[in-house]
Each structure stands twice: as structure tokens, then as C-alpha cells.
Amino acid sequence: MLPTLNEEEAIEELITEAHIAGFRKILVVDGFSTDQTREIAKKAGASVILQDFGKGKGCGVRTGMREFLSGTAELLCILDGDGTNVPSFLTALTPLVNSGEADVVLGSRTRGPREKDSMDLLTLASNLTVSFLLGMKFGRIFTDVQTGYWLLTRRAVEEIYPNIKSTGFEIELELFVKILKARLNVAEVPVGFRCRKGFTKFSFALRIRNLYYAFKYLASY
Ligand SMILES: Nc1nc2c(ncn2[C@@H]2O[C@H](COP(=O)(O)OP(=O)(O)O)[C@@H](O)[C@H]2O)c(=O)[nH]1
Ligand SMILES: [Mg+2]
């Protein structure tokens, strides 16, 4: 699943990469882009749906999870649709779930090879800090809980989907805490991270909003 909002510069190449990496079904869940994202994604061979529940990335991810649950696939992969995430890193992780070692795999961008200037120092520091503090709540060390790279088994999606309420960028924080609270087996593996195409939708105001959620989850779990 690729959540998208105005990603016409990135989406075609990303879908091609995902096909090459071996993804069988590519679902773009679009947040009412005003550019050519949906048209380009369809032409590139993806299934494209519009998100429900309202505005924001969280609504997109929830719509994608619901769509996944209505089908028969065993594994759900989530990747950002902006060209920063490299699909082949996720397909390389499937043995971890196929062997039963993990129900959920997170791709850690802070531990993996990062293209120069793909993540500024402040974002890197805040990702590491929030990950460390939230991980400690569950007695584990994590390095990138706000990652866009997720691999989930059907069992994991079935378990957490009914409890996921996020509308915006706090979705990753919520996925993380609910997955750990459900005592699913979680593995974290380094993944590559590239410079974005187009422009970020994670504005300063939305960053502050996410900080609020980080404190909220730190206080309540
Ligand atoms: N479906 C959907 N996707 C969104 C929305 N907002 C952002 N995204 C996607 O979520 C991913 C992460 O957003 P991005 O702008 O790259 O944030 P950043 O990675 O934190 O800078 C990208 O693939 C965006 O296109 C939204 O409202 N709906
Ligand atoms: Mg991004």
C-alpha cells in the first residue's frame, strides 16, 4: 500500500520499482490529490482508491488496511509514496515473517543507508529520541518508530485495525504502540532512505501536532 497526496513526481518510478521488487498487488490510497497522481499510478499498473474517514495520512493508511482485510493476501506492506522508500528493502524482509519470526517488521531509516540530505539532523534526532523513549515503555530499543516502512501479517492487521483511530501523521506512533501493546512479535531492520521528490506534506504545524501525540503516547502507555 502506498498512501499518496500529490506525488505525481514520484509515483510512476516507485510503482515500477515495486513491480521489479516482486510486489504482486500495488494499492495506491490517495488523499484526494489535486495533481496527476491517481492517473499516473493507474497507468503504471497500480490499483487506485480514494481514502475514507476524512483528511490526512492516517485516514489513507486505515482505508488501505480495510481494503487489505477485505482481500485474501497474507502480507501487507506499507511504503511512503514520495520516492524516499525503496521497495526492494521490504521484499527482502519477507523471510522474517514467512518463517514466523515476526508478525510485524519496521524498517529503520536511522540505522540504514541514507542518501545525503534525505533526513535533516533535527528530524533524525527527534526520530531517535521518540523511538528510544517509546521503545523503553515496552522494554525494547527501537530507532525509527515513525518510519513509513511497515510489513504486517494478516493476523497483525486483524488484531490492530479495529483500534486504530489516527487521521494524520500520528498514524505511525499509534501503529507502533498498539502493535506492541497487542504483544505481536516485532522486528526492526535497517532500510535505505532517499531524498524526496516533490514537496513534504509534513508541515511545521503538523510536526507540532505530532509532538503532542508523541507526548500523549509516552504519558499513556
Ligand atoms: N493518502 C494520503 N497520503 C498522504 C496524506 N498526506 C501525506 N500523505 C503521504 O504520506 C507519505 C509521507 O508524507 P510526506 O509528505 O513525505 O511526509 P514526511 O515523509 O514526513 O516528509 C507520502 O507518501 C505522502 O504522499 C494524506 O492526507 N492522505
Ligand atoms: Mg516523506
Side-chain angles (χ1 to χ4, degrees), residues 80-147:
D80 279 350
D82 58 359
T84 54
N85 296 1
V86 188
S88 55
F89 275 97
L90 264 195
T91 34
L93 302 180
T94 51
L96 271 176
V97 285
N98 289 339
S99 67
E101 221 173 301
D103 304 304
V104 177
V105 184
L106 306 192
S108 171
R109 303 160 302 170
T110 65
R111 284 168 60 202
R114 264 173 291 121
E115 209 173 86
K116 193 174 175 289
D117 299 327
S118 57
M119 192 185 288
D120 61 74
L121 261 182
L122 187 65
T123 306
L124 176 64
S126 91
N127 279 344
L128 283 170
T129 310
V130 169
S131 301
F132 180 76
L133 294 175
L134 265 186
M136 278 295 115
K137 290 246 153 200
F138 301 94
R140 298 260 316 259
I141 290 184
F142 284 93
T143 63
D144 195 13
V145 301
Q146 303 188 80
T147 180

Side-chain angles (χ1 to χ4, degrees), residues 38 53 88 95 102 118-119 121 142 149 156 159 186 188 212:
R38 289 190 299 278
F53 310 119
S88 55
S118 57
M119 192 185 288
L121 261 182
F142 284 93
Y149 282 89
E159 184 120 355
V186 186
E188 188 197 73
Y212 158 80

Side-chain angles (χ1 to χ4, degrees), residues 36-210:
Q36 295 297 303
T37 301
R38 289 190 299 278
E39 291 77 6
I40 294 172
K42 267 183 214 153
K43 258 195 207 147
S47 305
V48 180
I49 57 172
L50 283 168
Q51 71 185 45
D52 277 329
F53 310 119
K55 270 177 84 166
K57 181 183 181 183
C59 297
V61 170
R62 282 164 54 203
T63 305
M65 287 178 136
R66 189 188 62 191
E67 184 72 15
F68 168 78
L69 287 175
S70 75
T72 56
E74 269 309 312
L75 279 185
L76 173 64
C77 298
I78 310 176
L79 283 170
D80 279 350
D82 58 359
T84 54
N85 296 1
V86 188
S88 55
F89 275 97
L90 264 195
T91 34
L93 302 180
T94 51
L96 271 176
V97 285
N98 289 339
S99 67
E101 221 173 301
D103 304 304
V104 177
V105 184
L106 306 192
S108 171
R109 303 160 302 170
T110 65
R111 284 168 60 202
R114 264 173 291 121
E115 209 173 86
K116 193 174 175 289
D117 299 327
S118 57
M119 192 185 288
D120 61 74
L121 261 182
L122 187 65
T123 306
L124 176 64
S126 91
N127 279 344
L128 283 170
T129 310
V130 169
S131 301
F132 180 76
L133 294 175
L134 265 186
M136 278 295 115
K137 290 246 153 200
F138 301 94
R140 298 260 316 259
I141 290 184
F142 284 93
T143 63
D144 195 13
V145 301
Q146 303 188 80
T147 180
Y149 282 89
W150 297 79
L151 186 61
L152 303 112
T153 58
R154 172 165 289 274
R155 182 172 92 83
V157 182
E158 278 169 355
E159 184 120 355
I160 62 163
Y161 173 74
N163 300 318
I164 301 289
K165 307 276 181 276
S166 294
T167 56
F169 282 103
E170 74 281 15
I171 182 73
E172 282 96 13
L173 292 167
E174 188 184 23
L175 286 177
F176 178 78
V177 293
K178 301 233 160 130
I179 285 166
L180 275 113
K181 232 188 135 206
R183 297 180 178 275
L184 292 161
N185 286 325
V186 186
E188 188 197 73
V189 177
V191 290
F193 194 60
R194 301 182 291 211
C195 292
R196 197 191 203 298
K197 291 177 185 151
F199 63 93
T200 181
K201 316 304 175 313
F202 197 28
S203 63
F204 181 71
L206 291 178
R207 279 171 192 264
I208 300 294
R209 185 174 177 273
N210 247 39

Side-chain angles (χ1 to χ4, degrees), residues 4-6 29-35 38 50-52 54-55:
T4 58
L5 177 61
N6 295 331
V29 186
D30 187 60
F32 296 87
S33 294
T34 51
D35 67 3
R38 289 190 299 278
L50 283 168
Q51 71 185 45
D52 277 329
K55 270 177 84 166

